[in-house]
Amino acid sequence: MAGGALACGGASALNHVLDRDIDRLMGPRTASRPVAAGRIAPAQAVVFGLTLSALSFLVLAAFANVLAAALAVSGGAYYVLVYTLWLKRTTTQNIVIGGAAGAIPTLAGWAAAHGRLGLGAVFLFVIVLLWTPPHFWALALLLAPSYAAAQVPMLPVVRGARTTAFHVLVYALVLTAVTLVPGLIGIFGAVYLAAAAALGVAFSALAWRLWRANTAANAALTFHSSLLYLALLFAAVAIDAAVR
């Protein structure tokens, strides 16, 4: 957990450096970040971010294994170099491709527990990858004016709220279908399968509601519920492993 936290913190610090220009344009939420607000110099933030990343590798290599350490640091590097530097400012599919950065920690966690990767790790990676777009686009619907002010091509800015809500629904349905597969083929058990089905129906219903009535309240509900959805789904993975 400490190694993962260090990896996330290092990537976040470097993101603050690279995004300091647009952070100043996206309203008080991001303009108050330490680098954007001028409280911390970019060079200091870079040193801080790289130090945290290095510590992450050392902690995970020492107390887990080198594979977990390499995966954790590679997730941070992907987030900074691929998503922040390239995708975020160039394509509406930024969060679709960039979502791999948030999915790599599942591989690191699996490697820390098992010393290797397996099919279960692959499914967890794909689940987070598919979960990221509906999760983030629901938030982007709320922050569309801020992204427009910074000229960041998030889907609601380029394609509009209606199209974005439809994409949220499609991804929610695909995500629900995919989450059932590891339970059906025996990688995870009945406890997981029941939870995946129930959570998937609930999340898809919220996505449907957002598509039918594209309001700020529904977008906020979908966004916050997506956080609970993933937490409960991964809790079901742990509980299922404990009782099998």
Side-chain angles (χ1 to χ4, degrees):
M1 290 295 291
L6 288 166
C8 291
S12 180
L14 296 173
N15 172 266
H16 279 216
V17 174
L18 295 173
D19 275 357
R20 64 189 184 278
D21 58 335
I22 60 175
D23 280 347
R24 298 185 185 109
L25 304 174
M26 292 183 59
R29 185 183 66 88
T30 56
S32 63
R33 288 174 175 170
V35 180
R39 298 194 303 276
I40 295 178
Q44 292 176 311
V46 168
V47 171
F48 180 65
L50 293 177
T51 299
L52 292 184
S53 298
L55 287 173
S56 167
F57 185 90
L58 292 174
V59 167
L60 287 168
F63 296 101
N65 53 66
V66 173
L67 177 58
L71 285 167
V73 173
S74 69
Y78 188 96
Y79 176 67
V80 173
L81 300 176
V82 178
Y83 174 70
T84 302
L85 268 181
W86 173 37
L87 295 170
K88 185 173 183 178
R89 307 190 191 206
T90 59
T91 173
T92 58
Q93 297 301 300
N94 45 25
I95 202 62
V96 176
I97 307 169
I104 289 175
T106 61
L107 303 180
W110 193 281
H114 295 275
R116 56 180 173 76
L117 296 178
L119 193 55
V122 173
F123 271 106
L124 294 182
F125 175 89
V126 172
I127 286 169
V128 177
L129 192 66
L130 292 172
W131 166 85
T132 303
H135 158 74
F136 199 91
W137 282 332
L139 176 63
L141 285 167
L142 298 171
L143 300 178
S146 298
Y147 284 119
Q151 297 184 331
V152 176
M154 287 297 173
L155 193 63
V157 176
V158 178
R159 300 288 300 277
R162 177 71 173 172
T163 297
T164 301
F166 179 71
H167 278 69
V168 169
L169 174 59
V170 170
Y171 269 90
L173 293 172
V174 173
L175 171 64
T176 298
V178 170
T179 59
L180 298 178
V181 175
L184 293 172
I185 65 177
I187 295 175
F188 304 139
V191 171
Y192 165 83
L193 183 60
L199 291 168
V201 168
F203 187 47
S204 296
L206 290 174
W208 171 266
R209 180 178 176 181
L210 175 62
W211 180 55
R212 295 287 292 176
N214 199 320
T215 65
N218 283 342
L221 179 60
T222 303
F223 168 70
H224 290 294
S225 296
S226 70
L227 297 169
L228 182 61
Y229 166 88
L230 192 67
L232 292 176
L233 184 69
F234 274 51
V237 174
I239 293 169
D240 183 85
V243 300
R244 290 181 73 182

